[in-house]
Amino acid sequence: MSVYNHRPMVPAAQSRIVELLEAIRAEFDQLSQDAMICKSQRDDLEHKINGQIQEMNAFQQNLFDMERTQKTVKQQYEEEIARLRQQLEQARSGHAPLASSAHSAQHPQPPPPNIGPQSNLFGGIMNASGGGSGASTSQPGLVAPPQMSDQPPPPHGGHYPPPQSQGYPYPPSRSGGPGTPNSQAAPLPTDQGSSKRKPVAQTGPAPLPTAPTPGRPVSTPKQPIPAASTGGGFTDLDPDNVPSNMKTEGSDWLAVFNPKIPRYMKVDLVHTMDHTSVVCCVKFSPDGRYLAAGCNRQTHIYDVTTSTRMCVLQDESVSKDGDLYIRSVCFSPDGKFLATGAEDKQIRIWDISKRRIRNVLTGHEQDIYSLDFSRDGRIIVSGSGDRTARIWSMADATCLHILRINENDQKDPGVTSVAISPDSRYVAAGSLDKIVRVWDVQTGHLLERLEGHKDSVYSVAFMPDGKTIVSGSLDKTLKLWQLGVSEGRGFSADRDRKNPCKQTLTGHKDFVLSVACTADGNWVVSGSKDRAVQFWDPRTGNIQFVLRGHRNSVISVATSPAGRHLFATGSGDNRARIWSYEPIGP
């Protein structure tokens, strides 16, 4: 028997460790596999949930589209029924049918609400019907002319709020005409601020710059272009009697081109933005990418290309009682800020990207009706019912000048509209006393008093040349004024000049509430209480076309300043619309 032990020499502990490590690795692999399965299942569930969410969104969008389509169809049927009823009543009474279409049918509307206490300067408007727009009365704004139908006149620019709603967002005229003054300064071409303006040395009214009109006329019978600056009865034509190549028709709008002159463009509806209240004002951003629309308490900013609402600006610190209409909006030249003027006498400067108020400019004693930025962005001008326009510094939010209307013989000189010239040297203001005034921005001195309108001036705009002002009035006309030819102060050269009014444009059937100019200066656009928009050739005074695309007063018009052939309208039918006007190609 051997004395040696022949058992294996490998330690038993080492073999045990290896077994444990193998077990751990196998368990880790199993857990990893289970984790991968769980992750895959989670991804599948997320994908299914996202798909269901997309289906719900698509269903919701389809539902909204169906509701919108149903409303449109219902509206078309109601308009057609109203038109047929009107023709039937006229036929029964033995009168010939009026020139109309389904798109311009009138809708019975409830009576307008009373004016709120804040509009004390303009009290009494729209509380009665009858009376003409041209006659001035000893008391401001007691009666409003009837709407162009046989029903009670809807509020100027008025949406029709519930019966308990009080307040009304628009000032009256001296003759009681309703309307909304909005600063619709002319969209301007590239900056000309470095070019010093020279005194005008003409002995009479001079023609506007003869820039070529875009596009070529379509082939139409040759007819002489009337020299008079009137519509020549064109607006009285029955659309059914106009050749098909001289009109364009949409589902709820109609554009009729003047058959007496060549047609230079085509017009089309691009977007419609519905609101819950009157659209008091519209304005494009300087780059033309966005459109601001002022309503009751809120200002909506839309993407022009898609009509997507980018943001809604509302001061939540304001009392919720009553109405607070935003009567004027204006973008800063860099597009970063938006100024809004409202019934509470305050001007709010909004930082658009932050959706908050940067500054509040206070000092006016009545409602703010109009705002305009200078092209260099240094100043902003405001117009108010307190008989003043004010020039404010954007740098420190201080008032630089108070431009007062001090004539004792003027009973109602509330400022309804302001505009700054393209070179930022002059401020033009329209007022209820029928006068357009021009001040020097640097000194605050009054330079000109342009008189000729027979009723309150509700809108003013500079033409891109900076030497011509367009004004719209409750006397149903537009006027083109040449600066430097009146006998007022300022513009020292040639004191023996003639009437500064270059042209009077007639064609609207009711108050002219807003005017604007295209960036190239080739067209003047006007909106009226007669629910129509008219495009004018400022060189001839002829109407190019009449657009009927709203069911209530067209309170505000604006043109895109960025070279795009777009214009916008805001109306008492609670809609803002963007339109295109394209030149007809060769």
Side-chain angles (χ1 to χ4, degrees), residues 540-553:
T540 63
N542 289 319
I543 300 173
Q544 174 67 197
F545 68 82
V546 174
L547 171 65
R548 296 191 177 276
H550 288 284
R551 291 177 286 111
N552 209 312
S553 304

Side-chain angles (χ1 to χ4, degrees), residues 81-97 150:
I81 290 171
R83 184 180 69 85
L84 294 174
R85 283 178 178 172
Q86 185 181 15
Q87 291 182 352
L88 181 61
E89 290 174 0
Q90 290 166 353
R92 287 176 178 175
S93 61
H95 296 293
D150 53 357

